[in-house]
Amino acid sequence: MTVRNPSPSLYNEDLAPAETRNWGAFSIFNVWTSDVHSLWGYYLAASLFLLCGSFINFVIAIGIGSLVIFVLMSLVGNAGVKTGVPFPVLARASFGTFGANLPALVRAVVACFWYGAQTSAASGAIVALLIRNESMLHFHQSSHLLGHSTLEVICYVIVWALQLLIIQRGMETVRKFQDWAGPAVWIMMLLLAIYLIVKAGTFSFGENIPQDVLLAATKDAGVSGAPGSVGALAAVAATWITYFAALYLNFCDFSRFAPDQATLRRGNLWGLPVNLLAFCLVAGITTTAAFTVYGEVLLHPDAISAKFDSWFLAALAALTFAVATLGINVVANFVSPAFDFANVFPRQINFKRGGYIAAFIALVLYPFAPWETGAAHFVNFIGSTMGPVFGIMMVDYYLIRKGVVNVEALYHEDGEFRFEGGWNVNALIAFVAGAIFSSILPTFTTVLPAWWGTYGWFFGVAVGGLSYIALAAVRPQARTA
């Protein structure tokens, strides 16, 4: 649709409703292959697979988790298809025309942090390959710059620059990149699994790994309890669902380019429950085979490929997983802040400039490498506040507005979504209430039980959403101009 007389402080061409809708089911499918097929995604998938304790438990825990992810992504995805607007613009319906900048900036902060972390992981895979050469290993050990080895800095900058090339021509280039990268990573994953299974001479689901060794290797996955126990399986499903917390918010950045909900549903069906189950299965089997071959629990594929005798196979694996990590960076950590920063200053910042800002922040962060320090806890704290935002937006869209939004009014300062000076106080109160239970109490106090943090995102969704709908009943005037 064409927006008539939009307010300049709320509109630019990148934030406008999508007109070209050429993202078919295959492109939507590859949003998910790009999002999960990374070094971090492999680590989590392999960890959760092993913590299930058996194949049946894996199908139950990861299967249920993947179905929940499918449902939640369909909710926000359908809103994107129907309205054609990106996440920060859709947020205006519940938070207000200017209040939407709050959830947008929360999402952008998390994305910038992980943009740097994922770039570092991708460049690390290249470094691991290069230091197989003795001269490169010597250079890596002897030369240092900005708190890292000079080789690490060079690889980081190169990978960082390559990502900028992907987005030079906007979202269409993103689609073409992920349509190529997604299948390439799957092929490499299968080759890696087959190679290790043949070398191990056996096929297992992790039963051969001693429990103490397994728990030590997976301690950072956030799952407590004995592998295979009811508590562990519940935590596995919850952790898997929470892993996608960021995309629950901004999946409409992609789904708005789909022609209809049927296309979106097909892409999501293959990309989420089917693809996620298969990915976790392959990651788990590969890790157990690697344990048989090398006698170690290697949860990172670059650590596995570094042990290959064949330089060619090691190079193929390292480059493929570097590409995979670039894929998730573009999908989860570039597109979102590009739109989020553009939403704050649409007259000055478009999609490209917003992306450049995110990339620049990631570059500035690199010397400090906060993803290797306790700063990760701060980002996780900020990230858990995305639960209340999701709850508020979905309650507003489906329960209060019944899936009907005046899209044109989203771009008018004095329209329906002005609320109180551009802010919906109901949403702000609900956001704070949800954040207290999803972030503040679990992080800074011992009031809540230790297991609460595993399910913090869910409590944030529930408290934020219920508070919002309760406030809408008490203060109904806050829903209209």
Side-chain angles (χ1 to χ4, degrees):
M1 66 172 292
T2 301
V3 179
R4 295 168 296 179
N5 301 316
S7 300
S9 59
L10 298 174
Y11 180 91
N12 64 32
E13 289 186 3
D14 295 311
L15 295 175
E19 295 185 1
T20 302
R21 299 192 173 216
N22 60 346
W23 286 50
F26 184 65
S27 293
I28 296 298
F29 165 79
N30 280 316
V31 168
W32 305 120
T33 60
S34 296
D35 182 60
V36 73
H37 297 176
S38 67
L39 297 175
W40 289 91
Y42 182 101
Y43 164 78
L44 184 62
S47 298
L48 297 182
F49 176 92
L50 296 175
L51 289 167
C52 286
S54 71
F55 179 73
I56 297 300
N57 287 344
F58 155 75
V59 172
I60 294 173
I62 297 296
I64 291 175
S66 298
L67 286 174
V68 171
I69 294 167
F70 169 74
V71 172
L72 296 178
M73 288 300 182
S74 295
L75 289 176
V76 69
N78 289 340
V81 172
K82 190 169 183 179
T83 63
V85 302
F87 155 62
V89 175
L90 184 63
R92 294 172 187 173
S94 49
F95 283 84
T97 49
F98 296 116
N101 288 328
L102 173 63
L105 289 177
V106 166
R107 177 69 181 91
V109 166
V110 174
C112 289
F113 178 95
W114 287 113
Y115 187 98
Q118 294 283 9
T119 301
S120 181
S123 62
I126 305 300
V127 171
L129 172 67
L130 294 176
I131 61 176
R132 292 169 68 98
N133 178 278
E134 287 188 12
S135 60
M136 282 292 185
L137 177 60
H138 176 72
F139 177 62
H140 174 62
Q141 294 173 336
S142 61
S143 179
H144 294 82
L145 180 67
L146 299 175
H148 301 268
S149 80
T150 304
L151 181 62
E152 288 174 334
V153 174
I154 293 172
C155 290
Y156 184 91
V157 173
I158 291 174
V159 173
W160 176 86
L162 286 174
Q163 292 173 105
L164 294 184
L165 295 178
I166 297 173
I167 54 87
Q168 281 296 313
R169 301 175 68 179
M171 288 295 289
E172 182 60 15
T173 304
V174 171
R175 182 183 69 83
K176 291 178 180 178
F177 170 75
Q178 67 181 22
D179 282 357
W180 166 81
V185 174
W186 251 122
I187 292 172
M188 188 60 227
M189 281 283 296
L190 292 174
L191 288 176
L192 184 65
I194 293 170
Y195 172 81
L196 286 170
I197 290 170
V198 170
K199 194 164 187 177
T202 184
F203 186 89
S204 70
F205 297 103
E207 298 90 343
N208 57 325
I209 302 177
Q211 189 168 118
D212 59 334
V213 175
L214 174 60
L215 291 176
T218 59
K219 63 181 184 299
D220 293 330
V223 175
S224 58
S229 66
V230 174
L233 294 181
V236 163
T239 301
W240 194 229
I241 294 167
T242 304
Y243 178 70
F244 295 87
L247 264 295
Y248 295 135
L249 293 186
N250 76 293
F251 177 48
C252 53
D253 291 345
F254 305 92
S255 68
R256 71 194 189 109
F257 296 108
D260 50 55
Q261 291 185 8
T263 298
L264 179 71
R265 185 167 54 251
R266 288 196 302 274
N268 277 353
L269 182 64
W270 285 101
L272 289 169
V274 176
N275 174 62
L276 295 186
L277 269 170
F279 177 74
C280 289
L281 178 62
V282 172
I285 290 174
T286 301
T287 302
T288 56
F291 177 79
T292 302
V293 174
Y294 303 114
E296 300 177 62
V297 179
L298 301 170
L299 294 171
H300 295 281
D302 54 328
I304 297 175
S305 63
K307 292 183 174 292
F308 287 174
D309 296 328
S310 167
W311 195 94
F312 174 75
L313 282 177
L316 188 61
L319 291 173
T320 302
F321 281 104
V323 169
T325 302
L326 295 186
I328 187 176
N329 235 8
V330 170
V331 168
N333 303 320
F334 192 98
V335 170
S336 178
F339 283 125
D340 295 338
F341 287 131
N343 189 70
V344 178
F345 302 108
R347 280 182 283 197
Q348 293 81 22
I349 302 175
N350 57 16
F351 176 81
K352 285 186 181 179
R353 289 175 182 171
Y356 292 151
I357 291 172
F360 177 74
I361 292 173
L363 188 63
V364 171
L365 287 175
Y366 180 67
F368 310 100
W371 38 86
E372 297 175 2
T373 69
H377 294 295
F378 168 75
V379 173
N380 288 335
F381 162 71
I382 295 294
S384 60
T385 62
M386 291 187 286
V389 173
F390 180 76
I392 291 166
M393 289 181 62
M394 293 300 98
V395 163
D396 180 80
Y397 184 81
Y398 284 102
L399 299 185
I400 293 178
R401 302 188 185 280
K402 310 299 183 185
V404 178
V405 174
N406 182 350
V407 174
E408 194 162 347
L410 294 170
Y411 298 92
H412 292 147
E413 288 184 40
D414 298 319
E416 176 184 352
F417 305 111
R418 177 176 173 80
F419 297 114
E420 297 158 78
W423 297 75
N424 185 354
V425 175
N426 284 1
L428 295 179
I429 295 172
F431 172 77
V432 171
I436 288 173
F437 288 94
S438 66
S439 304
I440 297 173
L441 291 180
T443 304
F444 298 110
T445 75
T446 57
V447 173
L448 300 174
W451 54 262
W452 189 281
T454 303
Y455 305 93
W457 182 84
F458 296 88
F459 286 112
V461 172
V463 174
L466 291 174
S467 297
Y468 184 77
I469 199 167
L471 287 165
V474 174
R475 303 179 69 245
Q477 70 280 3
R479 302 203 308 268
T480 58

